Amino acid sequence: NATVVVDGVSKHYDLGGRVTALDDVSLTLSKGSYTAIMGPSGSGKSTLLNLVGGLDTPSAGRVVVDGRDLSSAGEDELAAVRGTDVGFVFQTFNLMPRLTAVENVALPLVFDGWDRDRRRERALSLLSDVGLGDRIDHLPTELSGGQRQRVAIARALSTEPALILADEPTGNVDTETGARILDVFDDLHAAGNTLLLVTHERHVAERAERVVHVEDGRVRSIEETPEGTD
Ligand code: ADP
Ligand code: ADP
Protein backbone atom coordinates (compact mmCIF):
# COMPACT_ATOMS: atom_id res chain seq x y z
CA ASN A 1 0.00 0.00 0.00
CA ALA A 2 2.72 2.44 -1.02
CA THR A 3 1.48 5.95 -1.56
CA VAL A 4 4.79 7.26 -2.83
CA VAL A 5 7.51 5.35 -4.67
CA VAL A 6 10.73 7.16 -5.51
CA ASP A 7 12.77 4.74 -7.59
CA GLY A 8 16.33 5.43 -8.70
CA VAL A 9 15.72 9.14 -9.01
CA SER A 10 18.38 11.60 -10.08
CA LYS A 11 17.95 15.30 -10.68
CA HIS A 12 20.48 17.49 -12.44
CA TYR A 13 20.37 21.21 -13.02
CA ASP A 14 22.33 22.72 -15.87
CA LEU A 15 23.11 26.35 -15.28
CA GLY A 16 26.46 26.99 -16.95
CA GLY A 17 27.70 23.95 -15.06
CA ARG A 18 26.04 20.79 -13.90
CA VAL A 19 24.63 20.47 -10.39
CA THR A 20 23.50 17.04 -9.23
CA ALA A 21 20.79 17.77 -6.67
CA LEU A 22 19.76 14.10 -6.32
CA ASP A 23 21.82 11.05 -7.20
CA ASP A 24 20.00 7.70 -7.52
CA VAL A 25 17.58 8.11 -4.61
CA SER A 26 15.04 5.41 -3.79
CA LEU A 27 12.43 5.73 -1.08
CA THR A 28 8.99 4.28 -0.41
CA LEU A 29 6.32 5.89 1.73
CA SER A 30 3.53 3.59 2.80
CA LYS A 31 0.02 4.93 3.24
CA GLY A 32 -0.36 6.63 6.60
CA SER A 33 3.38 6.80 7.30
CA TYR A 34 5.14 9.83 8.81
CA THR A 35 8.64 10.49 7.46
CA ALA A 36 11.14 13.27 8.10
CA ILE A 37 14.04 14.17 5.81
CA MET A 38 17.14 15.66 7.41
CA GLY A 39 20.39 16.77 5.85
CA PRO A 40 22.71 19.74 5.41
CA SER A 41 21.72 22.75 3.33
CA GLY A 42 22.05 21.97 -0.38
CA SER A 43 21.79 18.20 0.12
CA GLY A 44 18.69 17.88 -2.09
CA LYS A 45 15.88 17.88 0.48
CA SER A 46 13.72 20.50 -1.22
CA THR A 47 14.36 18.98 -4.62
CA LEU A 48 13.11 15.61 -3.37
CA LEU A 49 9.99 17.19 -1.89
CA ASN A 50 9.33 19.13 -5.11
CA LEU A 51 9.56 15.94 -7.19
CA VAL A 52 7.15 14.04 -4.93
CA GLY A 53 4.78 17.01 -5.10
CA GLY A 54 4.87 17.14 -8.89
CA LEU A 55 6.41 20.61 -8.95
CA ASP A 56 9.30 19.29 -11.02
CA THR A 57 10.22 16.10 -12.90
CA PRO A 58 13.30 13.91 -12.39
CA SER A 59 16.21 13.69 -14.83
CA ALA A 60 16.22 9.90 -14.36
CA GLY A 61 14.19 7.35 -12.41
CA ARG A 62 10.53 7.24 -11.45
CA VAL A 63 8.30 9.08 -9.00
CA VAL A 64 4.95 7.34 -8.49
CA VAL A 65 2.27 8.96 -6.30
CA ASP A 66 -0.95 7.04 -5.70
CA GLY A 67 -0.23 4.83 -8.67
CA ARG A 68 0.40 7.75 -11.00
CA ASP A 69 3.82 7.99 -12.60
CA LEU A 70 4.75 11.65 -12.28
CA SER A 71 8.06 11.24 -14.10
CA SER A 72 6.28 10.78 -17.42
CA ALA A 73 3.30 12.99 -16.62
CA GLY A 74 2.49 16.07 -18.65
CA GLU A 75 1.94 19.46 -17.08
CA ASP A 76 -1.85 18.96 -16.98
CA GLU A 77 -1.54 15.68 -15.12
CA LEU A 78 0.96 17.17 -12.66
CA ALA A 79 -1.40 20.06 -12.01
CA ALA A 80 -4.23 17.59 -11.34
CA VAL A 81 -2.13 15.74 -8.76
CA ARG A 82 -1.12 19.00 -7.08
CA GLY A 83 -4.70 20.21 -7.06
CA THR A 84 -6.26 17.20 -5.40
CA ASP A 85 -4.11 14.70 -3.56
CA VAL A 86 -1.20 16.73 -2.27
CA GLY A 87 -1.06 19.43 0.38
CA PHE A 88 2.02 21.65 0.34
CA VAL A 89 3.39 23.50 3.31
CA PHE A 90 6.31 25.46 1.90
CA GLN A 91 8.42 28.32 3.17
CA THR A 92 7.17 30.68 0.52
CA PHE A 93 3.64 31.28 1.66
CA ASN A 94 2.04 32.61 -1.54
CA LEU A 95 -0.99 33.91 0.30
CA MET A 96 -3.40 36.06 -1.68
CA PRO A 97 -2.59 39.60 -0.51
CA ARG A 98 -6.12 40.99 -0.76
CA LEU A 99 -7.80 38.11 1.05
CA THR A 100 -8.06 37.78 4.82
CA ALA A 101 -6.70 34.81 6.72
CA VAL A 102 -10.04 33.01 6.74
CA GLU A 103 -10.62 33.75 3.04
CA ASN A 104 -7.16 32.45 2.15
CA VAL A 105 -7.75 29.20 4.03
CA ALA A 106 -11.22 28.77 2.48
CA LEU A 107 -10.03 29.45 -1.07
CA PRO A 108 -9.04 25.88 -2.07
CA LEU A 109 -12.52 24.74 -1.00
CA VAL A 110 -14.10 27.06 -3.57
CA PHE A 111 -12.46 24.98 -6.30
CA ASP A 112 -13.69 21.84 -4.54
CA GLY A 113 -17.28 23.08 -4.70
CA TRP A 114 -17.98 23.59 -0.99
CA ASP A 115 -20.75 26.04 -0.16
CA ARG A 116 -19.93 29.31 1.56
CA ASP A 117 -21.00 28.46 5.11
CA ARG A 118 -19.17 25.14 5.21
CA ARG A 119 -16.04 26.76 3.76
CA ARG A 120 -16.03 29.36 6.47
CA GLU A 121 -16.71 26.83 9.21
CA ARG A 122 -13.84 24.59 8.08
CA ALA A 123 -11.44 27.53 7.67
CA LEU A 124 -12.26 28.84 11.14
CA SER A 125 -11.68 25.45 12.68
CA LEU A 126 -8.29 25.07 10.96
CA LEU A 127 -7.20 28.57 11.95
CA SER A 128 -8.11 27.79 15.51
CA ASP A 129 -6.06 24.55 15.32
CA VAL A 130 -2.96 26.54 14.38
CA GLY A 131 -3.62 29.14 17.08
CA LEU A 132 -4.93 31.95 14.88
CA GLY A 133 -8.55 32.02 16.01
CA ASP A 134 -8.10 35.69 16.91
CA ARG A 135 -6.57 36.73 13.57
CA ILE A 136 -9.14 35.45 11.10
CA ASP A 137 -9.97 38.80 9.50
CA HIS A 138 -6.40 40.03 9.15
CA LEU A 139 -4.74 40.50 5.77
CA PRO A 140 -1.37 38.78 5.18
CA THR A 141 0.43 42.16 5.53
CA GLU A 142 -1.13 42.53 8.99
CA LEU A 143 0.34 39.24 10.18
CA SER A 144 3.84 38.31 11.30
CA GLY A 145 5.94 35.88 9.27
CA GLY A 146 5.14 33.02 11.63
CA GLN A 147 1.43 33.82 11.55
CA ARG A 148 1.47 33.88 7.74
CA GLN A 149 3.18 30.52 7.80
CA ARG A 150 0.40 29.14 9.96
CA VAL A 151 -2.25 30.52 7.58
CA ALA A 152 -0.40 28.74 4.76
CA ILE A 153 -0.42 25.51 6.76
CA ALA A 154 -4.14 25.80 7.47
CA ARG A 155 -4.76 26.47 3.78
CA ALA A 156 -2.67 23.47 2.71
CA LEU A 157 -4.75 21.26 4.99
CA SER A 158 -8.16 22.66 4.06
CA THR A 159 -8.94 20.03 1.42
CA GLU A 160 -7.71 17.20 3.67
CA PRO A 161 -5.07 16.01 1.21
CA ALA A 162 -4.04 12.38 1.69
CA LEU A 163 -0.37 13.31 1.23
CA ILE A 164 1.09 16.27 3.08
CA LEU A 165 4.48 17.69 2.12
CA ALA A 166 6.11 20.25 4.38
CA ASP A 167 9.40 22.11 3.87
CA GLU A 168 10.72 23.39 7.22
CA PRO A 169 7.22 23.87 8.65
CA THR A 170 8.64 25.08 11.96
CA GLY A 171 11.47 27.04 10.36
CA ASN A 172 10.42 30.63 11.06
CA VAL A 173 8.14 30.29 14.04
CA ASP A 174 8.55 30.64 17.80
CA THR A 175 8.72 27.59 20.04
CA GLU A 176 5.06 27.64 21.04
CA THR A 177 3.84 27.98 17.46
CA GLY A 178 6.23 25.23 16.37
CA ALA A 179 4.79 22.94 19.03
CA ARG A 180 1.25 23.72 17.83
CA ILE A 181 2.16 22.93 14.22
CA LEU A 182 3.72 19.62 15.28
CA ASP A 183 0.56 18.77 17.22
CA VAL A 184 -1.51 19.40 14.09
CA PHE A 185 0.81 17.04 12.18
CA ASP A 186 0.43 14.40 14.89
CA ASP A 187 -3.36 14.68 14.52
CA LEU A 188 -3.07 14.32 10.74
CA HIS A 189 -0.90 11.25 11.21
CA ALA A 190 -3.39 9.78 13.67
CA ALA A 191 -6.15 10.42 11.12
CA GLY A 192 -4.31 8.30 8.56
CA ASN A 193 -2.74 10.94 6.33
CA THR A 194 0.72 10.36 4.85
CA LEU A 195 3.27 12.97 5.90
CA LEU A 196 6.68 13.85 4.49
CA LEU A 197 8.53 16.77 5.98
CA VAL A 198 11.93 18.37 5.64
CA THR A 199 13.56 19.77 8.74
CA HIS A 200 16.91 20.84 10.15
CA GLU A 201 15.68 20.26 13.67
CA ARG A 202 16.29 16.98 15.41
CA HIS A 203 13.36 17.32 17.82
CA VAL A 204 11.01 17.92 14.89
CA ALA A 205 12.32 14.91 12.96
CA GLU A 206 11.84 12.73 16.02
CA ARG A 207 8.09 13.29 15.89
CA ALA A 208 8.07 11.24 12.69
CA GLU A 209 8.25 7.45 12.57
CA ARG A 210 11.27 7.47 10.30
CA VAL A 211 14.12 9.85 9.57
CA VAL A 212 15.74 9.73 6.14
CA HIS A 213 19.22 11.27 6.25
CA VAL A 214 20.36 12.76 2.96
CA GLU A 215 23.79 14.08 2.07
CA ASP A 216 25.12 15.24 -1.29
CA GLY A 217 21.92 14.16 -3.02
CA ARG A 218 22.02 10.59 -1.70
CA VAL A 219 20.21 8.73 1.05
CA ARG A 220 22.87 8.01 3.69
CA SER A 221 20.71 6.16 6.20
CA ILE A 222 17.17 5.56 7.29
CA GLU A 223 16.51 5.63 11.00
CA GLU A 224 13.46 4.32 12.82
CA THR A 225 12.59 6.64 15.69
CA PRO A 226 11.18 5.54 19.04
CA GLU A 227 7.92 7.04 17.75
CA GLY A 228 8.00 4.55 14.88
CA THR A 229 8.90 1.47 16.88
CA ASP A 230 6.44 1.79 19.74
P1 ADP B 1 18.22 21.53 0.33
O1 ADP B 1 16.74 21.62 0.30
O2 ADP B 1 18.73 20.28 0.98
O3 ADP B 1 18.86 22.75 0.91
P2 ADP B 1 18.00 21.75 -2.53
O4 ADP B 1 17.21 20.59 -2.96
O5 ADP B 1 17.32 23.07 -2.43
O6 ADP B 1 18.74 21.39 -1.17
O7 ADP B 1 19.23 21.92 -3.51
C1 ADP B 1 20.13 20.86 -3.84
C2 ADP B 1 21.14 21.38 -4.84
O8 ADP B 1 20.50 21.66 -6.08
C3 ADP B 1 21.81 22.67 -4.40
O9 ADP B 1 23.14 22.65 -4.88
C4 ADP B 1 20.98 23.72 -5.13
O10 ADP B 1 21.74 24.89 -5.35
C5 ADP B 1 20.61 23.03 -6.41
N1 ADP B 1 19.31 23.48 -6.94
C6 ADP B 1 18.12 23.30 -6.34
N2 ADP B 1 17.13 23.81 -7.09
C7 ADP B 1 17.72 24.30 -8.21
C8 ADP B 1 17.24 24.94 -9.38
N3 ADP B 1 15.94 25.18 -9.57
N4 ADP B 1 18.15 25.31 -10.31
C9 ADP B 1 19.45 25.06 -10.14
N5 ADP B 1 19.98 24.46 -9.05
C10 ADP B 1 19.11 24.09 -8.10
P1 ADP C 1 15.61 25.31 1.67
O1 ADP C 1 16.51 25.85 2.72
O2 ADP C 1 14.26 24.96 2.15
O3 ADP C 1 16.23 24.22 0.87
P2 ADP C 1 16.31 27.09 -0.44
O4 ADP C 1 16.45 28.54 -0.19
O5 ADP C 1 17.54 26.24 -0.57
O6 ADP C 1 15.34 26.51 0.66
O7 ADP C 1 15.48 26.84 -1.77
C1 ADP C 1 14.21 27.42 -1.94
C2 ADP C 1 13.73 27.10 -3.34
O8 ADP C 1 14.65 27.63 -4.30
C3 ADP C 1 13.66 25.61 -3.59
O9 ADP C 1 12.38 25.31 -4.11
C4 ADP C 1 14.73 25.29 -4.61
O10 ADP C 1 14.27 24.39 -5.60
C5 ADP C 1 15.05 26.63 -5.23
N1 ADP C 1 16.50 26.75 -5.43
C6 ADP C 1 17.44 26.40 -4.54
N2 ADP C 1 18.66 26.62 -5.03
C7 ADP C 1 18.48 27.15 -6.26
C8 ADP C 1 19.35 27.61 -7.27
N3 ADP C 1 20.67 27.54 -7.17
N4 ADP C 1 18.80 28.12 -8.40
C9 ADP C 1 17.49 28.16 -8.54
N5 ADP C 1 16.60 27.75 -7.63
C10 ADP C 1 17.09 27.24 -6.50
Side-chain angles (χ1 to χ4, degrees):
N1 63 347
T3 292
V4 176
V5 179
V6 173
D7 182 18
V9 162
S10 296
K11 179 68 183 179
H12 311 289
Y13 293 105
D14 290 294
L15 290 175
R18 190 180 227 219
V19 173
T20 298
L22 292 176
D23 181 12
D24 194 18
V25 167
S26 295
L27 184 67
T28 300
L29 306 184
S30 58
K31 193 164 154 42
S33 61
Y34 186 177
T35 306
I37 303 174
M38 289 193 84
S41 186
S43 56
K45 306 183 295 297
S46 299
T47 300
L48 182 56
L49 214 59
N50 290 349
L51 292 177
V52 172
L55 294 177
D56 207 347
T57 51
S59 310
R62 282 188 327 145
V63 178
V64 181
V65 175
D66 266 340
R68 276 190 276 206
D69 190 343
L70 302 190
S71 12
S72 57
E75 187 47 45
D76 287 354
E77 212 176 326
L78 291 178
V81 171
R82 293 198 295 265
T84 54
D85 304 337
V86 184
F88 289 102
V89 180
F90 283 171
Q91 276 176 341
T92 44
F93 319 115
N94 292 321
L95 299 176
M96 306 294 283
R98 288 173 203 284
L99 298 185
T100 64
V102 67
E103 289 166 345
N104 264 289
V105 174
L107 188 60
L109 301 174
V110 175
F111 306 117
D112 266 16
W114 289 44
D115 72 47
R116 193 184 181 85
D117 289 348
R118 283 184 63 231
R119 289 201 303 264
R120 185 173 170 85
E121 195 181 327
R122 169 126 184 97
L124 290 176
S125 148
L126 283 162
L127 283 169
S128 147
D129 286 349
V130 297
L132 287 177
D134 58 348
R135 293 286 190 284
I136 58 169
D137 292 324
H138 290 240
L139 294 169
T141 49
E142 298 166 345
L143 297 168
S144 73
Q147 290 168 339
R148 270 180 250 166
Q149 182 158 353
R150 282 184 277 162
V151 176
I153 289 173
R155 183 189 51 186
L157 304 178
S158 64
T159 55
E160 286 187 35
L163 173 63
I164 293 150
L165 306 175
D167 199 347
E168 295 286 358
T170 56
N172 302 311
V173 300
D174 60 64
T175 310
E176 192 195 323
T177 303
R180 249 187 231 280
I181 290 170
L182 292 177
D183 286 345
V184 171
F185 285 1
D186 282 349
D187 290 346
L188 291 163
H189 178 222
N193 296 286
T194 308
L195 286 91
L196 178 61
L197 65 85
V198 164
T199 182
H200 284 97
E201 296 177 276
R202 179 78 209 167
H203 80 274
V204 173
E206 279 174 353
R207 297 286 280 263
E209 297 168 303
R210 235 178 16 151
V211 186
V212 176
H213 295 272
V214 296
E215 222 179 282
D216 298 332
R218 303 187 70 107
V219 174
R220 288 296 166 197
S221 61
I222 297 183
E223 171 196 1
E224 301 288 330
T225 66
E227 178 59 37
T229 47
D230 70 16

